[in-house]
Amino acid sequence: MKTFTLPGTEITVPAVVLGLMRIVEKSDEEVRTLVKTALESGIDFMDHADLYGPPYHGCERRFAEALRLSPSERESLTIQTKCGIRQPGPYFDFSYEHIVESVNGSLAALGTDYLDILLLHRPDALVEPDEVARAFDDLHAAGKVRHFGVSNHTPGQIELLRRSVTRPLVANQIQLSVTHAPSIASGIAMNMGDLDQSIDRDNGIVDYCRLHDITIQAWSPFQARFFDGPFLGNPKYAELNAVIDRLAWKYEVPAEAIAVAWLTRHPARMQVVLGTTTPSRVEGAAKGADVHLSRAEWYEMFRAAGYTVP
């Protein structure tokens, strides 16, 4: 499994992350098998959120109940969680009180004394950066959170936080796949005024994160569009699947691995967040981190996904 040091931290992270948003109704044995498969595949990075359940902290609690980690086992994992989305609504809350309350709830649910990384889960239009900074400083000083980041934030939103937040923002988790890649596609179509693809909807977030040593974590790597179902095996993406199947045969890996490889081939050193609860898919997808697509293959997949290369 390809690994790298997360900028701004001492943590060595794998290129693939196990997202645990769908385990609340899984048995102990199912959760243990899922995590064991991930670990055997080189994935020791676990992604959570207070929202994942229901109820709140439900998946975090299920993880802890099933794994019952010893201190050494806990230390061997990188555990990340997110906060900020509130229900009913939904609405967003980056107040000092909610961030601290949520972290305390996550620590209790996970049965751990600290989080390796805390992300702000989607932008809060009513954010007060000074409150976020105070929460981050207090949580870090108390030893409860070691590192911080964001999710689905634009460069401007990150800059607004950075005006007050003294802790480095080490990650930005965004939706990204070969078929949902506006953050990459718009730059390729720069100055092509007749193409909808040329519209920059993300304010250059990929380049911004590269410039500021912020790791992009790509969620929904197999989703066609915004919660529009998977593209793998989808007849709407017949041309793309034909390319993926050919590359899977060439590299002797499953189709999921090629979808992952398209993301990890990017020089931004992205992490890919897997949301599946099927162990075999975790094992197959993890192999993609060690597939190095050629430039021609990467662009062939991009074109087959429906994007224009001028």
Side-chain angles (χ1 to χ4, degrees):
M1 169 67 67
K2 183 191 300 182
T3 63
F4 57 91
T5 300
L6 198 66
T9 81
E10 72 291 345
I11 304 175
T12 298
V13 296
V16 179
V17 174
L18 182 62
L20 293 156
M21 68 285 289
R22 297 186 179 94
I23 63 169
V24 73
E25 295 183 355
K26 297 294 182 181
S27 69
D28 285 0
E29 186 59 31
E30 287 173 321
V31 175
R32 285 195 290 264
T33 299
L34 179 65
V35 174
K36 182 175 183 287
T37 301
L39 292 172
E40 290 174 347
S41 301
I43 303 170
D44 58 7
F45 193 121
M46 308 291 149
D47 177 68
H48 292 274
D50 60 359
L51 180 70
Y52 297 159
Y56 268 84
H57 304 291
C59 288
E60 294 171 328
R61 187 170 297 107
R62 190 83 281 280
F63 174 82
E65 290 170 346
L67 273 296
R68 301 191 182 279
L69 299 171
S70 68
S72 62
E73 289 171 331
R74 165 63 187 96
E75 195 66 31
S76 70
L77 299 178
T78 299
I79 295 182
Q80 169 178 283
T81 197
K82 301 181 284 293
C83 71
I85 301 179
R86 304 204 52 175
Q87 298 282 6
Y91 67 98
F92 309 115
D93 187 350
F94 289 174
S95 65
Y96 173 90
E97 292 77 14
H98 179 65
I99 293 172
V100 172
E101 177 186 21
S102 178
V103 167
N104 287 333
S106 290
L107 293 174
L110 288 163
T112 185
D113 295 329
Y114 69 95
L115 300 172
D116 293 288
I117 305 171
L118 173 70
L119 303 184
L120 298 177
H121 204 171
R122 291 196 173 276
D124 177 11
L126 305 181
V127 63
E128 297 283 357
D130 289 347
E131 286 197 43
V132 175
R134 184 161 63 94
F136 283 7
D137 287 345
D138 287 357
L139 290 167
H140 186 266
K144 294 181 177 181
V145 181
R146 295 183 173 178
H147 305 285
F148 301 87
V150 296
S151 175
N152 306 294
H153 276 56
T154 68
Q157 290 163 340
I158 296 173
E159 282 296 304
L160 179 62
L161 289 173
R162 281 163 52 117
R163 187 181 67 178
S164 300
V165 171
T166 59
R167 307 301 309 169
L169 298 175
V170 302
N172 186 14
Q173 193 174 110
I174 66 173
Q175 184 177 2
L176 187 59
S177 71
V178 67
T179 56
H180 188 278
S183 55
I184 294 173
S186 61
I188 290 175
M190 184 270 174
N191 202 38
M192 304 295 291
D194 291 336
L195 287 180
D196 179 79
Q197 179 184 320
S198 70
I199 299 171
D200 183 0
R201 294 176 169 85
D202 301 286
N203 305 115
I205 190 60
V206 171
D207 294 335
Y208 173 87
C209 287
R210 293 182 72 183
L211 286 168
H212 293 278
D213 290 327
I214 298 171
T215 296
I216 289 175
Q217 298 177 349
W219 59 270
S220 285
F222 310 130
Q223 280 285 326
R225 305 276 296 178
F226 184 71
F227 298 125
D228 195 32
F231 59 82
L232 292 175
N234 188 333
K236 292 181 181 178
Y237 295 89
E239 182 182 355
L240 174 62
N241 277 284
V243 174
I244 289 173
D245 289 345
R246 174 167 48 80
L247 293 174
W249 179 85
K250 173 183 175 180
Y251 289 102
E252 300 181 323
V253 295
E256 292 92 342
I258 299 301
V260 167
W262 189 85
L263 293 164
T264 57
R265 173 62 176 85
H266 197 283
R269 296 200 304 177
M270 300 177 184
Q271 290 183 289
V272 180
V273 183
L274 304 178
T276 181
T277 57
T278 304
S280 61
R281 295 197 75 188
V282 171
E283 182 180 19
K287 295 177 180 179
D290 295 320
V291 172
H292 188 80
L293 297 175
S294 70
R295 270 187 162 81
E297 290 166 343
W298 189 92
Y299 277 105
E300 182 183 16
M301 285 182 62
F302 182 76
R303 292 194 307 270
Y307 290 108
T308 298
V309 179

